[in-house]
Amino acid sequence: MPIIKHNMSHLPLGDHKNAPWYGKDILSVGQFGREDLEYIFAVSHEMHDMVDHIGTFDLLKGKILANLFYEPSTRTSSSFTAAMERLGGSVIPINEVKYSSISKGESLADTVRTLECYADVIVLRHPEIGSAAIAAKAARKPVINAGDGIGEHPTQALLDLFTIVEELGYVDGLTVTMLGDLKYGRTVHSLARLLSLFDVRIRYVAPEILRMPPEIMAELEAKGLPQAEHVTLESILPETDVLYVTRVQKERFEDQAEYESVKGAYVITPEVMRAAKERMIVMHPLPRVGEISPEFDEDPRAAYFRQMEYGLYVRMALLAMVLGKS
Ligand code: ASP
């Protein structure tokens, strides 16, 4: 089944209050089925075309996004800002929580209730699992989870899957290998769950102490998804269609000596990639801190910089959808 229908138009001029995603929170990839993905990717594709043709357009003129980040971010925060501004809307950025009332001890619920007085949608990144759900419960306006600790990062998973579709053209039948910190990496938690909607094989390559959490593997097992764990990449690389590399999440370790013992466990270099297929892609949610050597960047299979750009279009689509413009 094609995941993008190019002959549809998804950008009505008026408000679309009966649209399926109008006013909804985006908290977890568990909210999406394959039809939703088809829709989101079709809108994202149109956003890409619009940006290519006219750069900025006023679909969300007059709408305001509160971008509330309790944890560091470069790509997620700036791509949501760019997405809103490319659609003619504006942004209240709260990146430096130390300069806001949060540093006075304000609760997340109260901060969110405050921001929704001024904004139409709230994007939240927070260090605790479940924080986005707490915020969504407190808020009347849509809340978008931009990463809740080691929990989920649903908009990243959507842009990751969109990257796979745009780069390889299909998802069913692929072998996806996730490499690195699968325990603390929230992007792989969300992506693995999202991939369980498809007929894919997932391979996990991680040091013993950073294995994919058993509850996520059990969830995928229950859906009949073929999964296997490996300690080294060599045996699995030749059959891999998507190599998803992750950073060891230093900030999540209680024992820094433990971090030091695993930090350089895998490094992707042009030499390592000689064993991989010619038509495959290497992805990374970024930032990278040594897992992929810069010498590999010029290889056409290095998709991680293109992946960031796809994120802009997916986030434009999501904002338009929850604000009733698509
Ligand atoms: N940027 C991604 C995240 O926020 C990946 C990472 O930080 O390693 O989860």
Side-chain angles (χ1 to χ4, degrees):
M1 177 171 54
I3 201 141
I4 294 177
K5 293 179 188 160
H6 293 287
N7 58 347
M8 290 165 64
S9 176
H10 302 86
L11 304 177
L13 294 174
D15 274 11
H16 195 10
K17 294 196 170 160
N18 295 326
W21 290 92
Y22 175 70
K24 293 260 170 72
D25 304 306
I26 296 177
L27 303 178
S28 159
V29 290
Q31 292 171 259
F32 305 109
R34 280 180 74 136
E35 281 189 4
D36 300 305
L37 298 177
E38 272 179 31
Y39 187 80
I40 294 166
F41 294 166
V43 181
S44 305
H45 201 84
E46 286 180 29
M47 292 296 185
H48 189 171
D49 282 350
M50 292 294 274
V51 170
D52 278 355
H53 290 128
I54 54 172
T56 298
F57 55 109
D58 281 346
L59 190 69
L60 296 183
K61 188 172 167 58
K63 302 283 186 193
I64 298 174
L65 157 70
N67 224 12
L68 176 58
F69 280 71
Y70 290 73
E71 274 192 342
S73 170
T74 303
R75 277 149 291 272
T76 307
S77 163
S78 56
S79 66
F80 267 113
T81 298
M84 198 64 187
E85 292 186 355
R86 287 209 174 265
L87 292 170
S90 49
V91 181
I92 302 172
I94 305 184
N95 298 322
E96 294 283 350
V97 291
K98 62 176 181 288
Y99 297 125
S100 72
S101 285
I102 293 156
S103 67
K104 299 181 190 166
E106 185 167 67
S107 70
L108 176 61
D110 283 2
T111 301
V112 161
R113 282 188 197 112
T114 305
L115 290 173
E116 71 175 351
C117 297
Y118 315 130
D120 302 288
V121 54
I122 297 168
V123 168
L124 172 70
R125 170 168 292 183
H126 193 279
E128 280 158 36
I129 291 191
S131 50
I134 291 170
K137 206 164 167 222
R140 288 167 292 117
K141 305 267 175 77
V143 171
I144 300 180
N145 180 4
D148 60 336
I150 62 167
E152 280 218 39
H153 196 345
T155 68
Q156 176 77 43
L158 292 169
L159 80 86
D160 290 341
L161 193 61
F162 185 58
T163 302
I164 295 172
V165 172
E166 293 288 280
E167 294 275 323
L168 297 176
Y170 62 98
V171 182
D172 287 319
L174 295 177
T175 296
V176 179
T177 299
M178 298 182 175
L179 175 79
D181 185 347
L182 308 184
K183 179 180 179 187
Y184 297 123
R186 56 190 167 203
T187 70
V188 281
H189 299 166
S190 287
L191 183 60
R193 288 184 167 119
L194 201 57
L195 284 169
S196 71
L197 295 172
F198 296 85
D199 181 16
V200 295
R201 286 175 297 280
I202 306 192
R203 304 292 179 244
Y204 306 113
V205 184
E208 179 62 30
I209 59 167
L210 297 178
R211 287 165 61 190
M212 183 60 92
E215 60 279 13
I216 297 181
M217 288 189 66
E219 225 179 283
L220 270 55
E221 173 83 36
K223 293 188 173 172
L225 206 86
Q227 311 169 82
E229 293 185 276
H230 302 260
V231 177
T232 61
L233 181 61
E234 282 74 36
S235 61
I236 200 69
L237 186 58
E239 67 189 70
T240 295
D241 300 296
V242 176
L243 177 62
Y244 193 99
V245 186
T246 64
R247 167 180 75 93
V248 178
Q249 308 274 300
K250 184 177 184 194
E251 67 275 29
R252 313 283 181 210
F253 284 75
E254 275 167 21
D255 176 356
Q256 283 307 302
E258 210 171 59
Y259 165 72
E260 295 294 329
S261 74
V262 285
K263 72 172 183 197
Y266 307 100
V267 180
I268 299 302
T269 62
E271 292 69 45
V272 169
M273 289 304 295
R274 264 194 219 130
K277 291 180 185 178
E278 214 173 289
R279 183 165 156 70
M280 57 84 71
I281 52 171
V282 177
M283 298 175 63
H284 193 307
L286 301 176
R288 65 174 157 183
V289 284
E291 313 79 43
I292 303 180
S293 83
E295 287 78 60
F296 184 66
D297 294 352
E298 296 308 313
D299 191 298
R301 296 170 295 180
Y304 30 93
F305 297 128
R306 300 191 292 275
Q307 183 181 351
M308 278 191 281
E309 187 186 327
Y310 293 126
L312 171 68
Y313 310 127
V314 170
R315 289 177 172 137
M316 288 173 79
L318 295 173
L319 289 171
M321 287 164 57
V322 301
L323 291 172
K325 293 292 186 183
S326 172

